[in-house]
Amino acid sequence: MVTIEINGQQVEAEQGQMLIEAADKAGIGIPRFCYHKNLSISASCRMCLVEVEKAAKPMPACATPVADGMVVNTQSTYALAAQKSVMEFLLINHPLDCPVCDQGGECDLQEFSIGYGSDKSRYAEIKRVVKDKNIGPLIATELTRCIHCTRCVRFGQEIAGMPELGATGRADWMEIGTYIEKSIDSELSANIIDLCPVGALTSKVSRFTYRVWELASNDSIGAHDCIGSNCNVQTKNGEIKRVIARENDAINDAWISDRDRYSFEGLQSDERLTRPLIKKDGEWKEASWDDALQFAVNGLKDIKDKHQIGSVCFPSVTTEEMYLLQKIMRGIGSNNIDHRLRQSDFSGQDQDPLFLGLAMSVAHISQQQAVLIIGSNVRKEQPIMGHQLRQASLKGAKISFVNSVSFDSNFKAAHEFTIAPAQMFKELKVLAKAALESSVQDAPEGLAALVASVKVADEHKQCIAELSTAENSVVMLGTIIQAMPNYSAMRMLASFIAAATSSTMSYLTPGANTSGAYLSGLLPHRTHISNNAFSHTDGLNTQTMFAENLKGYILYGIEAERDLDNPLQAKTALANADFVVSLSAYVTDAMQADSDVILPIAAITESSGTLINVDGTWQSFNAVSKANGLSKPGWKVLRVLGNLFNLDGFEYQSSEDVINELKSSANQTVTNKTNNQLSWVCPEKISAQTTGMQRIAELSIYNVDAVTRRAAALQQTQDAQVDFAGINSALAKKLKLEDAQIVTAKQGDNSTEVTIRIDDRITDNCVYLPAGNIAAASLGGGFDTIELRPAYTHDL
Amino acid sequence: MANEVCFRTLHLDEPWTLESYLSVGGYQSLKKILTEKIPAEDIIEQVKTSALRGRGGAGFPTGLKWSFMPRHSEGQKYIVCNSDEGEPGTCKDRDILRYNPHQLIEGMAIAGYCIGADTGYNYIRGEFWEPYSRFDNALKEAREAGYLGDKLFGSDFNFDAHSHLGGGAYICGEETALLESIEGKKGQPRFKPPFPAGFGLYGKPTTINNTETLASIPVIVEKGAQWFLEHGKPNNGGTKLFSVSGNLKRPGNYEIDMGTPFSELLEMCGGMKDGYKLKAVIPGGSSSPVIPGEQMMDVTMDYDSIQAAGSMLGSGAVIILDDNVCMVNALARLSHFYQEESCGQCTPCREGTGWISHIMHRIEHGYGKQEDIDLLDKVAGDIMGRTICALGEAASMPVKGFLKDYRDEFQYHIDHKKCMVGPGSK
C-alpha cells in the first residue's frame, strides 16, 4: 500500500494502481470517457488530466500509476484548464442534438459538459458529419456523435473476442466501423451500447420510444441461461423498454448477453395469452379465472388413478412456481414430475448431486488453468460462461473440447476432440485411460477392463496432463451431453477423469433455474431439499411420462413441439390423454390442439420470484412490468389450485412466503459447496452405433425459450438463422447433396423438409439439426438416427 | 571537415556496396568489439562520452538511452532503427540508406551487442522504394559475407536485421507508433509509461534509434569518443547531417561539425538564389518554431545554441524561407499537414489540429476574423502538453512560432484579405 494525496486528502492506494482507481475508491470524481474499469487503458480521451506535483505536464489519471507520496490535484486551475480544453475539443465536432438523442439524460458528455464545458462555442467552422453504418438488427449507429473513446473497439477485442469494430482513417475523420459493412455478431455485442458514453451506439429495438428520465429502474436477473446475470430492467408505464447490464463481479462482471438484453421483446408478442381459455365440446372459449381453475381441477380430479397424471415444467420458471407445482403433484399423489425436458438417459439420476452446479462461483471459472468441456457450445449456450472461459484462456488456461461440432470459439482451444455423439463414450474412455495411466491411484473396479481396448494418442495425454498439472482445473459437462443417449455412462467417465486429474466436476444446465428445480424437488425421484438432503420417491420422468401415454398432463410453461427432446412422441401422448392443463404465457394453435384448458401465467419479469443460478446463488427479484391482460403470477395460480385440491399448506400471502418455506428447510450451506464427484459404478460396455447417420441437436442460442423465440430483433441476427440441416462436405459428397438444397429429413416415421448447409465443423456422418427450431418440431429424438434424401421436385 | 561519418563512402563509385564500405574500414568496429571482447558497458560509456544525441529530432543522449535497457535480463530484446523520416524538410536518412547502408547495419549490430538484442528491425518510410531496396540488398550482402548471422567473427554474438516498409504515415516516425506498425497494427502512439526499454516491440525490451544515430556508431567506435566529441562541442558531440532546403543555390544534405555557424552552412549552400533574401529559418524540421533570418545569422548549428534562440535542432532539416514567402500561407500549409497526419487517437490533437487547419484555411482565403489570431494561439496552447505523443506539440509549436514573430502578416491578411508579401500581395 502507498499513500498519496489527492486534493489535500490522504488516500491509501495499492501499488501499481492507477490514479483514477485510487480516486474512485476514495470517492473523488475525475471526469473520464475512454476509461472503463473492465477494459484496457487507452488514455486517449484526455479528459482525466490532473495535476501531479513535479510532473512537467498534466497527467492522465487513468494511465498514471500511483507512487508513494504523490501529490495530486484534480481541481486546481492547472488541472481544470486541461480538462476544460479537452471538453471544448470534444464538443467542437459533436452535434448538439441532445433533444433528439436517446442518450440524452444519461450521456457522459452531456453530464461533464455541465461541469467543464462553456455555454458558448468558439468553434465557427463546419462540423464533421459521419455516415451511419448498419451493423445489424440490435445496435443503431449515429456516428456523427462519436467521440472516439474506442470503448466499443476494446470491448470487441478484449471481452467479446471478436474484433468486429475498429477505427479507420486518421485525424478528425477517423471513424468507428466495421471497415466493410457487416453486422456485429458477437453474442455479447450490445454491451457496447452500455459502454458508449454518448449516443453514437443506441438500441435499435427501443430507441425513440422513451426518454431515460421516464424510465423506472428495476434490478432483475437474466432468465435465459443458468448464469443468472444481473441486469436492470427499465420500464415506462409498466412496459419494459430496455434491459441493461448490472455489475456483479462474482457473476457477470459488467456484461450481459444479447439474449438477456433483448428477449423482453418477446413479451409483447401477439401470441401472449391474456385470458384463461377452456375447451368445451371441442370449442375454445374465454373463461373467468374461477371457472377456468375449477374446470382444470375437475378435469384432473376425474382421473382417479393419480399415477396417471404427469407434469412437466420449463426449467426457467421461478423456484416458487417449481416448489408449488411439485407440492401440488405430490399432494394429489403423483411423483410424475420433471423439468429435464431434453434428457433421454436417466439411469444415473440417483447419483445426481443436490443440484447440478459449477461447484464454484461463476467468476471463479476465469481463475482456472485448465478446463475440459464435454458436450457444450458454451459460448452460445451460456454467453457469460463463454466470457469467463475466455478470460481464463487469456491468462493462459488450456481449454479443451469434446464435441460433435467444432463450434466457433473466441479463444484458442488447447485440444478439440470432435466426434459423433455415438463415439463420445469411446472418446471419453480414451481420456479416462490417459487419466488412469497418469494417475498414481489404483484403477476403480472394472475400469481397466473397460478401457483395455482403446488407444491413447499424444493429444489425449497432453489434455490430461494439462488438467493434472493445473492448480485449478475443471471438467465441465454441457447441456448437449446431458441430452445424449448414454449420458449416465459418459458422466461416470467424466467424473473419473475429474477425480484422477484433481479437477472440479462442473455442470452447465439448461434453462435459468435447473438448480432451483433440483432444490425444490421438481423431480420424479426425490423431494425438495431439506437439511442438505432429500427423500427418494418413485415417479415417471419426462421421457417415460410421454412414452407411457398417461391420462392427464399438466404442462407448465411448455410448448411441446419446441421444448421437448422428442416432440412427436409428446404430441401423441397429449392427443391421447383425457385431460391436459397448460399454464403458459403464450397460446399457439399447437397448444390449443394439445390442451383442454390454458391458464395465462405471467412471464418472469411480471412476477416476483427467485432464480437459483448454476453456482447456487439464490437471486430474488420483484415484478417489474405489468402482467399481460388477466394473466397472473404463476405462484398465485398454483396457490389457488392447491386450495381447490383442498391441500394443506397453501396459505401463502406472497412469493416470499413460498421461498422462505423452501429456504428454511433447505439450509443454504449447499450453495457453491456442492460436490459433484460421483461414486464409482463401472459403466457397462456400449457398442457404438454403426448404421446410419446420427443427428446432433444443440438447442440454438435464440431458440431456448418461448420468450426468446418471439423476440423479433434477436430472431433477425445471424445466430438465429438455424432452420437448416448441417452436414460436412464429405457427407454431402457421399449423399450427393449440395449447399442450400432442400431435402427431406426423416427420423423413424416422421419427416420434414429442411435446407442443407455444408459446414465442415460438423463431424463425419452426422447431421446437425438444432433442437427447438421449426423443422425439429416434426422430428424425433435429438440424437436418434436420421436420414436425408433429396426432396421430391416438380420439374417436368 | 565534411562527410567524415555517415557520408564517408560518398566519394566512391557505387558507395552503397559492401566492397565500397569495406574499403573505408567497414565492419572493422564490429570485428574489433567482438574479437577483442570489449564489454558492452565500455561501448555504452564511449557513446556517452561522445555526446552523441538522438538525430531523429528529440536529441536524447544515445548512450543514456542504451543504458536504460535491461541488457542482462533473460528473453528477447530488440534494436529498432527509425528510418521513417517523415518530418517535412528532412531527407538525410534517405541518403544514408541509399549511399551508406552497410554503416547503418554495422551500427545496428553494435547497438544490438550493447543492449543485448540479437534482432534488429529497420522501419523504412513507405515512400522510400529505392532506399528500401538498397538497404535490403545490403542486408543480403552482409548476411552472405557473414556480417549478420550467428556467431559473428567467431564470437558468441548472434545478430540479424530485417527491414520493414511503412504504410506512409507521418505518425509512424513516433517510436511507439512505429512499434505498433511493425506489429501489424494501426500506427498509433502508445501512452507511456511503460517505455519501450521495458515494454517495446511485441512487449519486449526495445531500443529505438534514428538512422543517422546508429550510422554514427561505427565511426565513434573506430575513431574514439573524443574524436567525435571534438567534431562538435560539449554536450553536442560529432558531426550532423543538415538537410537544407529553400531558394538556395545549392540546397541539399550537408554533413558538418556540430557548432558550425549557420552563416557558414548558408555559404556552403552557395547562399540565397539571386533575387531572394533570407527572411526566416525553420531550423529543425517543420515542427520547430521559426526563427527570423537576422537572428539566425548569430546562431551556431547545435542543440544548445538553437534552443537558446527559441527553437530546436530537431532532425536537422533547415528550411530557408525567403522574402517572397507569405508566413500565413506557409503556416496554412503546415497546419494542413499536421491535420492530415494526426493519428486521431487522442482528443486534443485529433480535434485541435483540424480546428487550427480550418482557421488557417479561412485566414489564407480572406475569411479571417479579428479574433482568429488569439484563438489560434489559444488552441495551439490547449493542445500542447496534453496529448499522448509529441505530434500535438509538433503541430502547435509552428503556430506559436509564426505568431510570435510574424503576427503582423496574419493581421494584414485578416484586414486586407491578401498577403502582405510575395505573389499573393498583388
Side-chain angles (χ1 to χ4, degrees), chain A residues 331-342:
Chain A
I332 64 173
S334 171
N335 287 316
N336 302 336
I337 176 152
D338 210 348
H339 70 280
R340 299 164 299 179
L341 307 183
R342 296 187 191 276

Side-chain angles (χ1 to χ4, degrees), chain A residues 254-501:
Chain A
W255 325 118
I256 57 173
S257 64
D258 289 353
R259 191 166 58 192
D260 281 341
R261 187 182 301 267
Y262 288 116
S263 280
F264 77 89
E265 254 199 309
L267 296 175
Q268 285 133 26
S269 153
D270 293 341
E271 290 183 321
R272 276 307 290 271
L273 179 60
T274 54
R275 295 173 168 275
L277 298 176
I278 55 179
K279 186 155 73 179
K280 270 193 177 153
D281 309 324
E283 289 280 307
W284 280 98
K285 292 204 173 81
E286 290 187 353
S288 70
W289 267 106
D290 287 348
D291 291 350
L293 285 165
Q294 199 58 59
F295 185 81
V297 170
N298 291 345
L300 292 169
K301 276 185 175 166
D302 285 347
I303 301 167
K304 296 299 173 215
D305 179 3
K306 299 304 178 205
H307 298 296
Q308 280 292 320
I309 301 177
S311 176
V312 285
C313 174
F314 198 78
S316 292
V317 305
T318 64
T319 314
E320 288 83 345
E321 290 164 282
M322 291 172 162
Y323 178 68
L324 292 183
L325 181 60
Q326 64 85 31
K327 195 172 174 182
I328 288 175
M329 288 299 289
R330 294 201 157 100
I332 64 173
S334 171
N335 287 316
N336 302 336
I337 176 152
D338 210 348
H339 70 280
R340 299 164 299 179
L341 307 183
R342 296 187 191 276
Q343 195 164 326
S344 56
D345 173 10
F346 298 87
S347 60
Q349 65 181 12
D350 288 333
Q351 286 252 28
D352 282 347
L354 290 179
F355 70 96
L356 305 181
L358 292 176
M360 66 180 70
S361 76
V362 172
H364 201 61
I365 293 292
S366 68
Q367 309 298 321
Q368 305 301 308
Q369 286 98 44
V371 184
L372 174 63
I373 298 168
I374 306 171
S376 176
N377 183 4
V378 60
R379 192 178 150 197
K380 302 293 177 183
E381 192 178 301
Q382 324 281 354
I384 293 296
M385 182 54 65
H387 156 66
Q388 299 289 4
L389 286 165
R390 177 175 148 77
Q391 294 309 307
S393 169
L394 292 178
K395 291 177 207 153
K398 305 281 186 200
I399 302 177
S400 304
F401 293 89
V402 180
N403 265 330
S404 300
V405 178
S406 171
F407 293 114
D408 292 346
S409 181
N410 52 5
F411 52 81
K412 193 175 180 308
H415 309 283
E416 280 194 87
F417 306 101
T418 309
I419 63 271
Q423 303 292 327
M424 205 170 269
F425 179 67
K426 188 182 163 204
E427 194 70 16
L428 291 172
K429 280 201 289 187
V430 178
L431 284 165
K433 188 172 187 178
L436 184 62
E437 284 170 355
S438 77
S439 169
V440 290
Q441 292 162 13
D442 291 337
E445 193 198 333
L447 179 62
L450 183 70
V451 300
S453 62
V454 296
K455 282 210 174 69
V456 179
D458 283 349
E459 192 155 23
H460 297 99
K461 281 184 195 157
Q462 277 169 25
C463 175
I464 292 298
E466 283 156 11
L467 288 169
S468 310
T469 52
E471 198 179 321
N472 298 303
S473 58
V474 170
V475 173
M476 191 180 270
L477 297 177
T479 62
I480 298 177
I481 190 173
Q482 290 168 43
M484 283 184 188
N486 306 324
Y487 161 55
S488 301
M490 292 194 281
R491 178 172 74 157
M492 188 56 75
L493 291 178
S495 171
F496 168 75
I497 294 166
T501 58

Side-chain angles (χ1 to χ4, degrees), chain B residues 56-70:
Chain B
F60 193 83
T62 305
L64 188 61
K65 189 186 249 191
W66 288 5
S67 67
F68 292 154
M69 283 289 282

Side-chain angles (χ1 to χ4, degrees), chain B residues 43 55 70 108 120 174 181 239 312 315 342 409 422:
Chain B
I43 313 284
R55 301 298 198 226
M108 287 175 73
E174 198 280 343
S181 180
T239 60
M312 293 157 44
S315 61
S342 165
E409 286 196 37

